[in-house]
Amino acid sequence: MAKFLRFLLRVTLILFITSTVYLVICRWVYPPITLTQLGAVFGGYGLKRDYVSWEEISPNVKLAAMASEDQLFPDHGGFDWKALEKSLAKNPKKKKKLRGGGASTISQQTAKNVFLWQGNGVLRYVRKVPEFYFTKMIEWVWGKQRILDVYLNTIEMGPGIFGIEAAAQAYFGKSAKNLTRNEAAMIIACLPNPKIFTVKPVSRRVGWRSKMILREMNNIADDPDVHALTR
């Protein structure tokens, strides 16, 4: 038993060190593959992906992502504790901000997309501790701009479609840097379940949610911290 525990501790330590080194490398290099992307390949959806630099992503996309998924992204340290508290309380009478992932921030979603796995049930709870670690680490090592950059390049935006460039080409036949506000809102509206909430054909959810996102984009566009991350 003691030998097994030593082996388990050694494996855990190796995984911890290698994952931390990988995290630092990803400060400058886009992830070559993620578990979610592998899942799409083995699930028969294929893999449509084309990483693009920060400058090649339209400010409209960056604004839409924050307006929809995490309006406090420029200000928090990885976790929106107020939103988490509201989510746990499940009080429908309290006003809630528009956000697609409940209490999950863009930083948390990025950590999960790049370093961990999707899924609910038991796997969701097993994921919580490493998700906390990776979320804090990318906040410290990457910074906000890099987190949003990697998020928009790696998140699934359709069946087998990963990243904003592949989504822009698939849905609108143009590059990500040329997306309009309405187009950006429509793509982001497919989150968090792009296999069901389709952009083309436009699902009912994407239709009404994209309008809500446009309104929120107008509401937060003049915030100095938000504006600094959309340039």
Side-chain angles (χ1 to χ4, degrees):
M1 184 64 178
K3 185 178 294 185
F4 173 75
L5 289 176
R6 284 196 298 271
F7 171 77
L8 188 62
L9 180 61
R10 189 178 301 115
V11 170
T12 302
L13 183 61
I14 291 172
L15 288 174
F16 173 77
I17 293 173
T18 53
S19 63
T20 301
V21 171
Y22 179 59
L23 183 147
V24 173
I25 292 173
C26 286
R27 170 66 177 83
W28 297 279
V29 179
Y30 291 112
I33 197 73
T34 69
L35 289 176
T36 306
Q37 291 170 0
L38 283 174
V41 174
F42 290 115
Y45 295 105
L47 178 58
K48 304 177 190 69
R49 185 192 72 181
D50 188 8
Y51 292 149
V52 290
S53 67
W54 177 258
E55 293 75 18
E56 294 176 284
I57 301 174
S58 168
N60 295 322
V61 177
K62 302 165 188 175
L63 181 61
M66 287 185 281
S68 173
E69 299 298 297
D70 188 357
Q71 293 185 8
L72 296 179
F73 175 67
D75 305 311
H76 62 61
F79 302 91
D80 186 349
W81 298 113
K82 290 183 179 180
L84 180 60
E85 184 180 342
K86 288 182 181 181
S87 177
L88 292 173
K90 294 183 179 178
N91 186 346
K93 294 182 180 179
K94 290 185 178 180
K95 184 178 179 181
K96 294 167 69 178
K97 278 191 174 182
L98 173 71
R99 45 184 309 135
S104 183
T105 65
I106 285 176
S107 302
Q108 287 174 270
Q109 292 180 55
T110 305
K112 182 174 66 175
N113 288 335
V114 175
F115 304 105
L116 302 168
W117 59 87
Q118 310 291 329
N120 295 316
V122 176
L123 288 176
R124 179 182 181 185
Y125 296 102
V126 173
R127 193 181 61 220
K128 287 302 178 184
V129 171
E131 182 181 315
F132 181 88
Y133 169 75
F134 285 117
T135 298
K136 293 305 296 184
M137 284 296 292
I138 62 175
E139 283 279 340
W140 292 334
V141 177
W142 291 8
K144 295 293 185 181
Q145 180 175 308
R146 180 59 176 175
I147 292 172
L148 187 57
D149 181 0
V150 174
Y151 173 79
L152 292 171
N153 269 296
T154 58
I155 196 165
E156 188 173 17
M157 295 177 167
I161 300 172
F162 290 86
I164 191 60
E165 179 66 19
Q169 294 290 351
Y171 300 133
F172 301 108
K174 60 170 66 175
S175 62
K177 65 181 178 182
N178 294 323
L179 288 171
T180 65
R181 276 200 175 196
N182 185 61
E183 291 165 345
M186 287 183 66
I187 293 175
I188 296 299
C190 76
L191 306 176
N193 197 334
K195 290 186 178 71
I196 295 177
F197 309 139
T198 56
V199 178
K200 282 194 174 181
V202 180
S203 66
R204 183 177 178 183
R205 176 189 164 91
V206 168
W208 65 258
R209 184 167 169 78
S210 61
K211 293 180 176 61
M212 295 177 66
I213 293 173
L214 282 169
R215 184 166 63 247
E216 294 297 318
M217 289 168 71
N218 291 329
N219 290 339
I220 70 170
D222 292 333
D223 181 280
D225 296 325
V226 169
H227 181 68
L229 280 172
T230 59
R231 291 181 295 183

